[in-house]
Amino acid sequence: MKASLKKNGTTGLLSLPKSSSHGLLLILFVGVFIFIQSCKKHDQNPPPSGSYDLKLIADNFVSPITVMDAPDISKRLFVVDQVGKVWIINAGGQKMPNPFIDVSSKMVSLNPGYDERGLLGLAFHPNFKNNGKFYLFYTAPPRAGGPEPGASWNNLTRISEFQVSGNPNSADISSERIILEVDHPQSNHNGGTIAFGPDGYLYISIGDGGNKDDIGPGHVNDWYKINAGGNGQDVQQNLLGNILRINIDHGSEGKAYSIPVDNPFVNATGEDEIYAYGFRNPYRFSFDLGGSHWLLAGDAGQSLYEEVSVVTKGGNYGWNVKEGTHCFNTDNDLEERQSCPSVDSAGNPLIDPVIEINNHDNPKGGITLAVVGGNVYRGTSIPSLVGKYIFGSLSSGAATAEGKIFWANPTAAGLWPYEEIQLKSFPNNLGQYLKGFGQSLDGEVYATTSEQIGPQGSTGKIYKLVFVR
């Protein structure tokens, strides 16, 4: 006879007919025992008990924005300081007395109060151990002319190749080989990350050109006429507002690089260098060292929403049609439009982010001045964070140094849940501006901070995310 199961309205337990209760209870007991034993067998790495913290690695920087180790066996960390210098922290944990390279003389002069220009990115060639090649992203003085009559360019985005000198702790600055240059109309929204992907190609993030709302001189007309602008949605007239992908190992057509044949606009209408588009200021992106090696980009918003996206080839990430998952309004960027297209003029969907955070100017209430994209934790010292995306907030506002660090749990669909990482030595917030993140090849995650929002002073610090028992 079949046993009919019904839910007991008082206890929520399953009630069984008396005629079958003894046999089924025995089966349930055995099943629970096997389940418990199975859990014990497979739960080899239960979440540890304790708390998280930041361990100071080095200090006395100006405005450190990222840190990484080189793909060699030296165990050195390289710190990118926005003012134009790359510093080395040796395997013993000491900061070297002289910078690895100093390109400050090649850059525009920075505003110490606040500036988004400067030395913004570093990438080591995958074969750096043998060829000594590395790449810098910095903002050089502008070329003559401008985006329109009466308007001048503000700076020149430059990606250059350099080589190490005979001293492994010193680069040969005379070895500079310019790879790519892009005229930039305003001082802000420079993007700035460069990184080699799992495919061996160099990826480059460049913002929409600056100003606000993706409008003004140097912001072209696009297909979405209701919102004036802009470079984020244009793929034909410039390289602004995009993530690019190039092959730096082979030049072609008079350029210092060639185009991967599977880039989305090869043999199609659009600039061949473009890998993905529709960005405002993708300041920091990274590749997951494990899993599916996702490209995750933090894109700073305008006034309402900050976002992080999983970036795929040919993807359109919505700016300035959308800000996060919401319709953007160039007439009043503090009010959302009631509706907007879900696809662009070519029929490509406008891809929503996986993380969305309210900006501190949002009338609904907000927690961050700008999102700072980070890294998926793939280290071994914090098992409970493996596979989690670590990112942060620059600060709660411009006048207060209140950076925070979060972790997000990737999900198959929709927005990822996230929460603040409670740090033992920083119970409320960092008390510093969070400038960036970095990751070593063994998957550990670092944070870079400063007590100054602009590139001035010497309060810059490098921390390692750690677990304390």
Side-chain angles (χ1 to χ4, degrees):
M1 181 179 71
K2 284 187 177 181
S4 62
L5 302 181
K6 62 179 181 178
K7 193 167 184 179
N8 185 305
T10 308
T11 65
L13 299 176
L14 291 175
S15 299
L16 302 175
K18 290 182 179 179
S19 60
S20 58
S21 62
H22 295 298
L24 284 175
L25 283 172
L26 178 61
I27 292 172
L28 286 170
F29 174 80
V30 173
V32 169
F33 178 81
I34 293 172
F35 174 76
I36 292 172
Q37 295 304 309
S38 175
C39 286
K40 287 182 178 180
K41 180 179 180 181
H42 291 96
D43 192 11
Q44 300 296 325
N45 293 302
S49 58
S51 60
Y52 306 105
D53 209 347
L54 294 178
K55 176 184 177 183
L56 181 64
I57 301 299
D59 57 10
N60 201 35
F61 301 97
V62 181
S63 182
I65 58 174
T66 191
V67 57
M68 66 194 71
D69 54 357
D72 56 19
I73 59 174
S74 68
K75 304 289 185 182
R76 297 171 296 168
L77 288 175
F78 291 76
V79 179
V80 176
D81 200 323
Q82 183 184 356
V83 293
K85 299 177 182 181
V86 176
W87 295 91
I88 293 176
I89 303 170
N90 66 24
Q94 289 80 39
K95 178 184 176 184
M96 302 295 289
N98 298 309
F100 174 64
I101 192 170
D102 181 353
V103 295
S104 57
S105 64
K106 297 175 176 287
M107 299 188 333
V108 292
S109 297
L110 302 183
N111 180 351
Y114 180 77
D115 212 316
E116 296 178 13
R117 302 169 299 174
L119 176 58
L120 302 177
L122 163 68
F124 291 99
H125 192 283
N127 194 31
F128 172 78
K129 180 180 178 181
N130 297 313
N131 64 24
K133 294 179 180 180
F134 65 96
Y135 301 83
L136 296 181
F137 180 128
Y138 66 92
T139 52
R143 290 190 278 213
E148 61 184 47
S152 301
W153 299 113
N154 179 272
N155 65 83
L156 180 67
T157 292
R158 178 178 290 162
I159 289 84
S160 287
E161 176 187 276
F162 294 87
Q163 287 191 288
V164 176
S165 69
N167 176 358
N169 291 325
S170 179
D172 179 3
I173 197 167
S174 68
S175 68
E176 181 174 19
R177 183 172 73 100
I178 295 173
I179 302 295
L180 177 69
E181 293 181 327
V182 179
D183 294 307
H184 206 86
Q186 285 90 35
S187 65
N188 54 343
H189 302 184
N190 295 279
T193 301
I194 52 176
F196 283 91
D199 52 16
Y201 297 131
L202 184 65
Y203 291 71
I204 305 163
S205 67
I206 300 180
D208 67 9
N211 202 23
K212 64 174 185 176
D213 301 339
D214 203 358
I215 60 175
H219 298 256
V220 301
N221 294 323
D222 67 12
W223 60 272
Y224 187 49
K225 304 305 179 185
I226 296 176
N227 279 358
N231 293 327
Q233 287 300 307
D234 172 73
V235 295
Q236 300 180 49
Q237 301 177 68
N238 58 52
L239 296 178
L240 300 171
N242 306 313
I243 290 179
L244 315 178
R245 181 174 72 155
I246 60 175
N247 182 349
I248 52 81
D249 286 327
H250 301 94
S252 66
E253 300 178 354
K255 297 180 179 179
Y257 59 90
S258 59
I259 303 295
V261 296
D262 63 336
N263 270 13
F265 294 107
V266 171
N267 299 320
T269 301
E271 294 293 315
D272 289 349
E273 291 87 348
I274 297 172
Y275 180 79
Y277 57 107
F279 297 100
R280 182 177 180 270
N281 185 23
Y283 165 61
R284 298 290 90 178
F285 74 79
S286 67
F287 286 96
D288 184 356
L289 296 178
S292 299
H293 302 294
W294 280 343
L295 192 170
L296 289 144
D299 194 9
Q302 179 64 57
S303 300
L304 299 180
Y305 302 100
E306 306 291 312
E307 60 189 273
V308 177
S309 295
V310 175
V311 179
T312 56
K313 182 173 64 177
N316 182 345
Y317 291 85
W319 177 254
N320 71 355
V321 181
K322 300 179 76 174
E323 183 183 24
T325 61
H326 305 263
C327 297
F328 185 70
N329 184 356
T330 54
D331 298 326
N332 182 347
D333 57 32
L334 289 174
E335 292 183 1
E336 301 169 23
R337 290 200 186 279
Q338 293 300 307
S339 63
C340 57
S342 61
V343 299
D344 64 20
S345 59
N348 300 308
L350 304 182
I351 302 172
D352 282 339
V354 295
I355 297 172
E356 182 177 86
I357 308 176
N358 283 18
N359 184 280
H360 82 303
D361 285 337
N362 195 315
K364 300 175 185 178
I367 64 172
T368 182
L369 180 65
V371 69
V372 181
N375 303 82
V376 176
Y377 182 81
R378 294 294 178 183
T380 58
S381 63
I382 316 177
S384 56
L385 289 183
V386 173
K388 304 297 192 295
Y389 178 66
I390 312 301
F391 69 105
S393 162
L394 170 64
S395 182
S396 61
T400 54
E402 297 177 346
K404 292 186 176 183
I405 298 177
F406 305 94
W407 67 267
N409 193 29
T411 56
L415 291 171
W416 296 353
Y418 69 89
E419 63 183 65
E420 182 180 352
I421 296 179
Q422 299 302 315
L423 300 168
K424 184 176 181 180
S425 300
F426 306 88
N428 298 313
N429 55 67
L430 299 179
Q432 303 163 71
Y433 293 96
L434 178 67
K435 295 297 185 81
F437 290 92
Q439 188 167 37
S440 55
L441 294 173
D442 61 3
E444 301 297 334
V445 170
Y446 297 79
T448 65
T449 70
S450 173
E451 294 176 18
Q452 303 294 326
I453 193 170
Q456 63 176 316
S458 57
T459 60
K461 295 179 175 65
I462 308 299
Y463 293 97
K464 182 179 181 180
L465 183 62
V466 297
F467 183 80
V468 289
R469 297 188 183 276

